[in-house]
């Protein structure tokens, strides 16, 4: 078999290079590009890219030998727009974010339901006073997106005694979910949900799925999380729902424009928590393991994990 050239395009290039060289993968020559100039100089040699999608995109037109791109992130929507190349295999990272996303969701959820922030403030003021709180037990958790991340959050919900409902494109049964519905049933399911978590990918169908009409079906006490993609939520409609009591609280990790502009009215909303798209970081050790497994499949002509369907968008 002839040698294959891999080009690394990531903020973690040095780390990836070390991990992949240690794996002694057969017939693989590893190059790295730590600057735009290096990337432009080396892109023509690459059969394989291991890349952050935004770094890869401007180089794809010059990647004349490219047959496979392994994204270091789960989100690859920037590579799927109209007019983008489709004559290569695209894989993303899956199966490693479930535990991290679950920690994020339940960390924030418990802080809210158990009034943790208020006790911190009371401690500062030396006030001994108990506040009412609600248990998660018996509450209904609705998760949009029932893949590996959604399933992990669902299992954690069960651990806390929650009823877990899911919404997906297919509506197929999935482990950890009491019941899974298709997207057209969303308005019927929303009024039951105490906690709503969107882990949806960015597709034409999911764009502004949560708009003003949708928020009108939510319980006024509901807590809404978006840890999937910013495009699933109309942020103006969300802000109105939070301000007018149609929604109790929101926790957003993803936004239509990132970084979130300093003049965004979202920053100042008291019943909204903002985090800088860090609910689940792609740890190089985990991503490298996925690449190593996929490379062996690639050279053996086997189907690879995390293969993206360009038409579906995931």
């Amino acid at each position: 078999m002839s040698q294959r050239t891999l080009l690394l395009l990531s903020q973690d290039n040095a780390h990836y290079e070390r991990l992949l060289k240690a794996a002694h993968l057969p017939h693989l020559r590893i190059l790295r590009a730590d600057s735009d100039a290096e990337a432009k100089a080396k892109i023509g040699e690459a059969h394989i890219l291991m890349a952050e999608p935004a770094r890869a995109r401007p180089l794809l037109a010059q990647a004349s030998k490219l047959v496979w791109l392994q994204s270091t992130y789960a989100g690859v929507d920037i590579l799927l727009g109209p007019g983008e190349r489709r004559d290569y295999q695209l894989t993303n990272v899956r199966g490693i974010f479930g535990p991290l996303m679950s920690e994020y969701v339940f960390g924030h959820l418990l802080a809210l339901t158990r009034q943790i922030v208020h006790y911190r403030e009371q401690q500062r003021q030396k006030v001994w006073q108990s506040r009412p709180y609600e248990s998660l037990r018996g509450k209904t958790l609705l998760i949009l997106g029932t893949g590996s991340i959604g399933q992990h959050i669902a299992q954690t919900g069960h651990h806390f005694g929650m009823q877990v409902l899911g919404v997906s494109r297919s509506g197929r049964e999935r482990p950890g979910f009491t019941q899974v519905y298709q997207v057209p049933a969303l308005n019927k399911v929303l009024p039951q949900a105490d906690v709503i978590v969107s882990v949806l990918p960015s597709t034409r169908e999911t764009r502004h799925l949560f708009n003003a009409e949708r928020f009108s079906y939510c319980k006024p006490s509901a807590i809404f999380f978006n840890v999937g993609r910013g495009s699933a939520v109309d942020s103006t409609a969300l802000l109105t729902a939070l301000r007018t009591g149609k929604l109790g609280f929101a926790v957003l990790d993803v936004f239509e424009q990132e970084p979130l502009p300093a003049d965004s009215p979202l920053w100042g909303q008291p019943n909204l928590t903002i985090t800088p798209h860090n609910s689940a970081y792609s740890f190089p050790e985990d991503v490298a393991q996925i690449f190593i497994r996929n490379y062996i499949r690639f050279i053996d002509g086997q189907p690879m994990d995390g293969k993206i369907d360009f038409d579906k968008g995931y």
Side-chain angles (χ1 to χ4, degrees):
M1 180 187 163
S2 59
Q3 191 182 56
R4 300 282 179 182
T5 297
L6 165 69
L7 179 61
L8 301 173
L9 291 171
S10 147
Q11 62 182 351
D12 298 305
N13 277 349
H15 203 157
Y16 283 128
E17 184 179 41
R18 198 161 61 247
L19 292 164
L20 295 180
K21 282 190 168 164
H24 300 292
L25 293 166
H27 314 292
L28 187 66
R29 169 182 172 231
I30 300 170
L31 301 177
R32 56 186 258 211
D34 297 335
S35 67
D36 290 345
E38 279 184 45
K40 286 188 181 116
K42 295 174 181 176
I43 190 67
E45 297 178 63
H47 303 102
I48 305 166
L49 293 178
M50 185 170 171
E52 293 160 17
R55 290 182 191 231
R57 185 176 172 235
L59 298 162
L60 288 181
Q62 286 79 54
S64 53
K65 295 180 181 174
L66 181 68
V67 287
W68 167 34
L69 191 162
Q70 171 70 61
S71 166
T72 58
Y73 295 165
V76 292
D77 32 293
I78 197 170
L79 301 174
L80 303 177
E84 297 291 341
R85 265 182 80 169
R86 292 181 162 206
D87 60 343
Y88 64 96
Q89 295 195 78
L90 174 61
T91 54
N92 72 347
V93 287
R94 297 179 195 179
I96 61 177
F97 298 123
L100 297 170
M101 292 273 199
S102 199
E103 286 174 13
Y104 176 94
V105 168
F106 283 91
H108 283 279
L109 193 50
L110 290 165
L112 287 166
T113 56
R114 298 301 298 246
Q115 308 273 354
I116 287 168
V117 176
H118 292 290
Y119 289 118
R120 193 79 208 147
E121 182 55 28
Q122 283 188 189
Q123 180 180 342
R124 204 175 62 77
Q125 296 174 3
K126 300 175 185 162
V127 171
W128 177 279
Q129 188 183 355
S130 185
R131 300 176 70 98
Y133 61 81
E134 294 184 5
S135 173
L136 295 182
R137 186 165 203 81
K139 294 255 191 261
T140 297
L141 169 63
L142 173 62
I143 303 170
L144 290 97
T146 59
S148 62
I149 293 171
Q151 287 169 32
H152 208 99
I153 296 169
Q155 285 161 0
T156 310
H158 272 295
H159 168 80
F160 284 108
M162 301 179 86
Q163 182 194 4
V164 185
L165 307 176
V167 170
S168 71
R169 192 168 168 162
S170 69
R172 276 202 297 272
E173 284 184 28
R174 286 283 186 258
F177 291 89
T178 313
Q179 179 108 32
V180 179
Y181 302 87
Q182 288 180 288
V183 178
L186 183 53
N187 291 352
K188 290 194 181 74
V189 188
L190 277 173
Q192 304 171 47
D194 299 293
V195 182
I196 304 155
V197 181
S198 173
V199 291
L200 292 169
S202 179
T203 67
R204 282 191 301 278
E205 293 81 13
T206 62
R207 181 174 161 69
H208 284 192
L209 185 67
F210 281 93
N211 54 21
E213 189 209 351
R214 201 78 70 188
F215 286 123
S216 73
Y217 288 94
C218 295
K219 280 186 182 181
S221 58
I223 299 170
F224 178 84
F225 285 83
N226 190 11
V227 290
R229 280 289 169 266
S231 60
V233 176
D234 176 342
S235 56
T236 306
L238 172 74
L239 199 54
T240 303
L242 289 169
R243 284 176 174 168
T244 57
K246 298 250 173 62
L247 194 63
F249 203 98
V251 180
L252 303 179
D253 188 49
V254 288
F255 303 87
E256 289 195 85
Q257 190 182 344
E258 294 182 5
L260 184 65
D263 61 357
S264 167
L266 295 173
W267 289 107
Q269 187 58 27
N271 53 345
L272 168 63
T273 294
I274 288 168
T275 58
H277 200 149
N278 64 355
S279 59
Y281 178 59
S282 299
F283 289 104
E285 288 78 6
D286 297 328
V287 179
Q289 282 306 310
I290 288 171
F291 177 85
I292 290 163
R293 279 199 306 274
N294 265 346
Y295 180 74
I296 300 301
R297 291 180 173 187
F298 174 73
I299 58 177
D300 286 347
Q302 301 290 324
M304 294 188 285
D305 280 340
K307 189 155 191 282
I308 298 292
D309 179 322
F310 282 98
D311 290 318
K312 282 187 184 167
Y314 58 88

